[in-house]
């Protein structure tokens, strides 16, 4: 008689995960055809360009704003194309906020065409981005640096749940995850200062991963659950623990984790999100 497998823990749909990754990815690279010599960022593999922007900002629509030096070969190539926008792919890497052997949690590739923003438009865009995410590097726009805009045509997500191709409109229509903006600082604080909470989660792991000597780290969190990384001597294992109910705000995260480990509301082993996020962000 065949054994039935337990149902897989629920995860946010691909468009929602793509939107979350786009908003929090700290590493970005523009990949396209070689722009010739002197680029500095040319990867060397098959003559393709791989250029790292000074700064990147990716809204839910996928229409990324990329900051580059005005004399960067990519900028010069885009200017040469004029109205015939340059086809490129933007690669975004979502890296875990804690130290693990394989820190990349997911990749998002946004295909589209690049154009250079006129300087007056670029300065207005820099002000809008600074209002959302203050960054002193934006002060260089108009002073040796400029902004490019990627008009997206397709998005491909690759993460622990699989690979999915999406239309940019699907990503734009997805609801934001309520803990996306503050989850990573909370995870970093949990790993650095709350080893007791992690130990209390060990009974929720598969039996073969509960052995002494394995390293346990909090890898990700979203409105539906907590993902843990178990590092053994020869392999890595990711385990997703579903919350009892979806979260609707960051303040519910502490209670949700207390539910996972089966302790009361007053248990101080579980950090709340609000009191710890600032300290964790500076860690």
């Amino acid at each position: 008689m065949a054994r039935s497998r337990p149902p897989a823990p629920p995860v946010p749909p691909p468009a929602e995960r793509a939107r979350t990754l786009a908003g929090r990815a700290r590493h970005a690279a523009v990949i396209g055809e070689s722009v010739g010599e002197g680029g500095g960022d040319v990867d060397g593999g098959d003559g393709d360009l791989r250029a790292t922007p000074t700064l990147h900002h990716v809204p839910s629509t996928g229409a990324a704003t990329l900051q580059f030096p005005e004399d960067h070969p990519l900028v010069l190539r885009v200017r040469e194309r004029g109205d015939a926008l340059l086809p490129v792919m933007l690669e975004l890497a979502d890296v875990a906020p804690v130290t693990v052997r394989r820190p990349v949690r997911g990749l998002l590739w946004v295909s589209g065409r690049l154009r250079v923003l006129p300087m007056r438009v670029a300065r207005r865009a820099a002000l809008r981005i600074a209002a959302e995410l203050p960054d002193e590097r934006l002060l260089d726009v108009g002073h040796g640096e400029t902004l490019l805009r990627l008009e997206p045509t397709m998005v491909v997500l690759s993460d622990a749940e699989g690979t999915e191709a999406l239309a940019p409109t699907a990503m734009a229509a997805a609801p934001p995850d309520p803990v996306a903006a503050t989850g990573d600082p909370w995870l970093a604080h949990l790993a650095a200062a709350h080893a007791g909470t992690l130990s209390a989660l060990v009974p929720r792991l598969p039996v073969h991963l509960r052995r002494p000597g394995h390293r346990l780290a909090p890898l990700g969190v979203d409105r539906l659950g907590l993902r843990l990384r178990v590092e053994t001597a020869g392999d890595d294992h990711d385990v997703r623990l579903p919350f009892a109910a979806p979260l609707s705000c960051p303040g519910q995260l502490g209670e949700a984790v207390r539910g996972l480990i089966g302790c009361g509301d007053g248990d101080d082993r579980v950090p709340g999100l609000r009191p710890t996020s600032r300290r964790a962000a500076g860690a």
Side-chain angles (χ1 to χ4, degrees):
M1 184 175 180
R3 294 182 179 179
S4 60
R5 294 184 178 181
V11 297
E16 185 177 329
R17 302 199 312 272
R19 174 174 178 160
T20 297
L21 196 158
R24 74 183 178 198
R26 292 178 290 167
H27 301 273
V30 177
I31 303 170
E33 296 179 357
S34 174
V35 297
E37 297 181 358
D41 288 327
V42 175
D43 186 40
D46 299 326
D48 288 341
L49 169 83
R50 187 179 181 89
T52 303
T54 305
L55 179 146
H56 69 278
H57 177 262
V58 188
S60 61
T61 61
T65 302
L66 309 169
Q67 181 175 333
F68 278 95
E70 291 180 353
D71 60 353
H72 191 282
L74 178 62
V75 177
L76 300 179
R77 178 66 179 276
V78 176
R79 291 191 189 278
E80 289 174 0
R81 295 288 294 251
D83 293 337
L85 305 185
L86 183 68
V88 297
M89 181 172 65
L90 176 66
E91 181 184 82
L92 300 169
D94 179 26
V95 177
V98 299
T99 301
V100 288
R101 281 191 299 227
R102 297 186 179 96
V104 177
R105 296 180 294 191
L107 293 167
L108 191 71
W109 294 282
V110 184
S111 299
R113 294 179 178 272
L114 272 183
R115 61 185 174 93
V116 179
L117 295 181
M119 190 50 64
R120 189 162 67 175
V121 177
R123 286 172 175 158
R124 289 201 301 265
L127 289 174
R128 288 195 299 269
I129 295 171
E132 178 184 344
L133 296 170
D135 193 306
E136 63 181 11
R137 292 173 294 180
L138 289 165
L139 296 173
D140 293 329
V141 173
H143 303 280
E145 302 249 331
T146 192
L147 297 181
L148 282 69
R149 178 67 48 78
L150 176 66
E151 304 295 347
T153 56
M154 186 177 69
V155 177
V156 176
L157 170 70
S158 179
D159 62 8
E161 311 304 333
T163 300
E164 189 87 18
L166 303 162
T169 52
M171 187 171 76
D177 189 289
V179 301
T182 43
D184 276 2
W186 181 85
L187 290 168
H189 181 80
L190 181 63
H194 291 271
T197 297
L198 292 176
S199 297
L201 290 169
V202 169
R204 298 296 304 271
L205 300 177
V207 174
H208 69 284
L209 295 178
R210 302 178 194 171
R211 299 174 183 174
H214 293 176
R215 181 176 179 271
L216 182 63
L219 188 66
V221 66
D222 55 55
R223 64 184 177 88
L224 297 180
L226 176 67
R227 186 179 296 278
L228 303 175
R229 167 69 56 82
V230 182
E231 294 183 339
T232 66
D235 205 354
D236 299 333
H237 305 267
D238 290 353
V239 179
R240 184 176 177 86
L241 303 180
F243 296 142
L247 307 186
S248 59
C249 70
Q252 297 173 341
L253 184 52
E255 181 181 353
V257 176
R258 282 191 287 269
L260 289 178
I261 63 179
C263 64
D265 291 343
D267 195 314
D268 60 6
R269 291 179 300 173
V270 183
L273 192 57
R274 293 172 184 167
T276 63
S277 59
R278 178 176 297 179
R279 176 180 174 185

